[in-house]
Amino acid sequence: MADNAATTPAQKGILGWIERSGNKLPDPVFLFFWLIAGLVAISAIASLLGWSALHPTEVDEATGQARVIAATSLLSPENIRRLWVEMPATFTHFHPLGYVLVVMLGAGVAERAGLFGTAMRAGVRNAPTFLLTPIVALVGMIGNLAADAAYVVLIPLAGIIFHAAGRHPVAGIAAAFAGVSGGFSANLLPGQLDALLFGITEASVETVFGDFTANIAGNWYFIAAMTGVFLPVIWYVTDRVIEPRLGPWNAAMAGQGVSPEQRGEAAPAVSDEGDRELTAPERRGLRMAGLAVLFVVGLWLFFTLGPGTPLIDETATPEARLTPFYQSLVAGFFLLFLLAGWAYGKAAGTIDDHRGLVKMMAGAMEDLAYYLVLAFAAAHFVAMFAWSNLGLILAVNGADFLGNSGLPSWALLGAIVVVAAVLNIFVGSASAKWALLAPVLVPMLMLLGISPEMATAAYRVGDGATNIITPLMVYFPLILIFCQRWQKDFGLGSLAATMLPYSIGLLLAGLAMTIGWVMLDLPLGPGAGVFIESPATIQPTGPAIAE
């Protein structure tokens, strides 16, 4: 692997500029620390200049007018004391932290027990040749629930399966990469990413409007529809654009487009584990995992519809009755992944006893070590942004500006899609980008009557589309190695050029879907719509934004 990587030529043109510019950026953890330093300086300047805004929801009891919120310097004695005294609480109360840790306790068991990998192999191994591309793409998008497993299991497996079907293996790798990474937010079910992003959304709303509970299923209908929209795009680009460009596999074998084994060379360290037949224990494990999933679904239906309806608040207003159900979904996904993984592991022989189960849960927490460091930095950035009042001031003034601009809602959300896609080329972490954007974007759009769920959905569309063309994407070098297994001269530019049609197609399709969703005012998920009633008691001075 190292030899192949060493021969990758230096890139020129736009790809080279992207690679050089992105490599100059600090690690996302230190990016947040630098941003905190900049935030401190800006807050001090803003305080001296007297920046202020009228609070959108609070009234001064003495005057009866909207309360004036002034910029506060983070170098004030109160904020310095707050930083050092409240540091543990600032970190542990960061909403995404609890959501992600709980979901990953279960998902880590399912991954380590082998459930995710086996399920993906079962999904694509015996696919008909004609349906091979859409099945690979669909399993890739669903495989996002498995996080890293989708990259290391499905993508190389897709190349092997395409090769076995007489098709170009690089086309299979490209289709799987487009599904797993380009369709990063598309899925049939909410999962770890929903817990992560909506935790940040919740924290961003609370910095301005106080208590708010995010609904982890708030984008469920949207991401399911995204799966249906992205699937034909990946299918068309693979079969009509990429594979014809690569040429027939047999013809490619005349050159360097052959596997290392056929060239008589040692293959890169890429496992063929995914190509073997499912064993009887694995099949039994999948059946038991399916029963566990049905059990959890039935249990939640019982809690929702059964005696006492513990997940329905019968005393609340009609629109708030299902709030306990939405709040329970994080725990529901934890239990679903945990029991399905345990059932699979016991049947397949990958979990011996409860000690093995606990060890897998502990291992899942070890994998989150980097995320914990990132969350520490992001939590303090978000908290200090709120302490300075700059988020509220920017949100109110930004809403005023956009209201005066007369831009319709679909145009604003379309712009967010594009901005997220461009930013994603340089900052790959979905949580890092959303933690930067959400504290301003979410409250600002709420003041314009656009829901936090819709803001999150628009960000997700842009976040995935450019994953597959940036060399800064953490798995990009690994995908290059998978391709070089079959085509030795396949370089970084080759991979970026191969994935560019997917990126353009997914971005345009996602943008069109977002605009159409807003114009039709379709529900984004259970209890979540595109528009909300603005929480402001005093609306922005500009004209109402068009819906």
Side-chain angles (χ1 to χ4, degrees):
M1 293 176 69
D3 291 339
N4 283 333
T7 60
T8 301
Q11 294 299 301
K12 299 179 180 180
I14 185 65
L15 286 174
W17 178 80
I18 290 171
E19 185 174 11
R20 291 190 300 273
S21 301
N23 285 335
K24 293 177 182 179
L25 291 174
D27 183 280
V29 173
F30 266 81
L31 180 63
F32 275 112
F33 287 139
W34 282 114
L35 287 171
I36 288 173
L39 178 63
V40 170
I42 293 173
S43 70
I45 295 172
S47 178
L48 289 174
L49 295 178
W51 290 7
S52 64
L54 298 178
H55 198 288
T57 60
E58 296 182 8
V59 176
D60 190 318
E61 294 182 359
T63 64
Q65 301 296 316
R67 186 162 67 88
V68 176
I69 298 297
T72 301
S73 172
L74 292 172
L75 294 177
S76 67
E78 295 79 9
N79 278 329
I80 292 175
R81 183 188 311 116
R82 194 174 192 178
L83 172 64
W84 302 122
V85 172
E86 298 183 11
M87 185 170 285
T90 300
F91 180 37
T92 57
H93 291 180
F94 189 48
H95 292 294
L97 188 63
Y99 290 175
V100 172
L101 291 178
V102 170
V103 173
M104 280 302 298
L105 276 173
V109 172
E111 181 177 354
R112 282 166 172 72
L115 171 59
F116 287 149
T118 301
M120 284 187 285
R121 284 167 47 216
V124 300
R125 282 204 81 262
N126 298 316
T129 302
F130 172 70
L131 296 176
L132 195 54
T133 302
I135 290 176
V136 164
L138 178 61
V139 173
M141 287 185 277
I142 297 175
N144 286 321
L145 293 171
D148 294 351
Y151 287 96
V152 300
V153 174
L154 178 64
I155 293 178
L157 174 59
I160 295 169
I161 292 174
F162 266 59
H163 171 251
R167 300 180 61 180
H168 204 296
V170 173
I173 291 171
F177 188 28
V180 172
S181 196
F184 187 59
S185 281
N187 218 307
L188 298 180
L189 290 172
Q192 303 167 47
L193 183 62
D194 297 81
L196 176 64
L197 295 183
F198 275 109
I200 296 172
T201 301
E202 180 176 311
S204 300
V205 176
E206 290 187 343
T207 61
V208 175
F209 302 114
D211 289 343
F212 173 79
T213 300
N215 173 10
I216 192 178
N219 283 169
W220 191 344
Y221 304 156
F222 187 85
I223 63 175
M226 198 190 308
T227 305
V229 169
F230 283 0
L231 191 60
V233 173
I234 297 174
W235 190 355
Y236 178 85
V237 172
T238 302
D239 290 4
R240 297 299 181 89
V241 179
I242 299 304
E243 200 160 13
R245 178 177 176 272
L246 292 170
W249 172 239
N250 288 335
M253 290 174 65
Q256 291 196 30
V258 296
S259 69
E261 294 87 346
Q262 292 164 325
R263 292 194 301 266
E265 302 174 5
V270 179
S271 174
D272 283 349
E273 174 70 11
D275 193 37
R276 63 175 176 81
E277 291 280 354
L278 295 183
T279 64
E282 287 173 337
R283 295 182 186 278
R284 185 167 59 250
L286 288 178
R287 289 194 296 270
M288 296 305 296
L291 292 175
V293 169
L294 291 176
F295 169 76
V296 174
V297 172
L299 184 64
W300 246 247
L301 287 174
F302 176 78
F303 287 150
T304 305
L305 305 175
T309 59
L311 294 183
I312 294 181
D313 186 354
E314 302 286 359
T315 63
T317 59
E319 59 272 15
R321 291 181 64 197
L322 286 175
T323 298
F325 172 78
Y326 301 143
Q327 293 174 330
S328 75
L329 289 177
V330 171
F333 282 110
F334 155 71
L335 195 62
L336 185 145
F337 288 134
L338 177 66
L339 294 186
W342 194 0
Y344 172 87
K346 290 294 290 184
T350 55
I351 297 179
D352 295 327
D353 53 27
H354 71 279
R355 291 181 177 83
L357 177 71
V358 173
K359 186 175 181 180
M360 288 181 178
M361 297 174 76
M365 295 299 98
E366 291 174 5
D367 287 348
L368 288 175
Y370 175 80
Y371 172 73
L372 292 175
V373 178
L374 177 63
F376 177 82
H380 282 83
F381 172 78
V382 172
M384 293 172 73
F385 202 63
W387 300 344
S388 70
N389 290 329
L390 290 177
L392 174 60
I393 294 170
L394 290 173
V396 172
N397 291 330
D400 190 16
F401 172 78
L402 292 175
N404 282 315
S405 73
L407 287 174
S409 299
W410 62 263
L412 294 176
L413 292 162
I416 292 174
V417 171
V418 175
V419 168
V422 172
L423 186 59
N424 188 50
I425 295 175
F426 301 96
V427 182
S429 170
S431 58
K433 289 193 302 295
W434 191 226
L436 292 173
L437 296 174
V440 173
L441 281 181
V442 173
M444 181 175 68
L445 292 176
M446 288 180 69
L447 289 171
L448 295 172
I450 298 173
S451 71
E453 292 84 2
M454 188 65 240
T456 308
Y459 166 75
R460 298 175 74 163
V461 173
D463 173 62
T466 49
N467 273 339
I468 51 181
I469 60 171
T470 171
L472 302 175
M473 193 266 180
V474 65
Y475 284 105
F476 206 79
L478 180 63
I479 307 305
L480 180 62
I481 295 302
F482 291 155
C483 292
Q484 289 176 343
R485 177 188 181 196
W486 302 99
Q487 193 162 325
K488 188 177 181 181
D489 62 349
F490 204 86
L492 191 65
S494 304
L495 180 56
T498 298
M499 302 311 299
L500 184 59
Y502 291 105
S503 185
I504 294 173
L506 293 174
L507 181 58
L508 292 177
L511 188 59
M513 175 183 159
T514 303
I515 292 173
W517 206 282
V518 174
M519 295 181 71
L520 296 173
D521 191 12
L522 300 174
L524 293 160
V530 173
F531 301 104
I532 59 171
E533 183 177 350
S534 173
T537 56
I538 297 178
Q539 300 293 333
T541 58
I545 192 163
E547 294 184 358

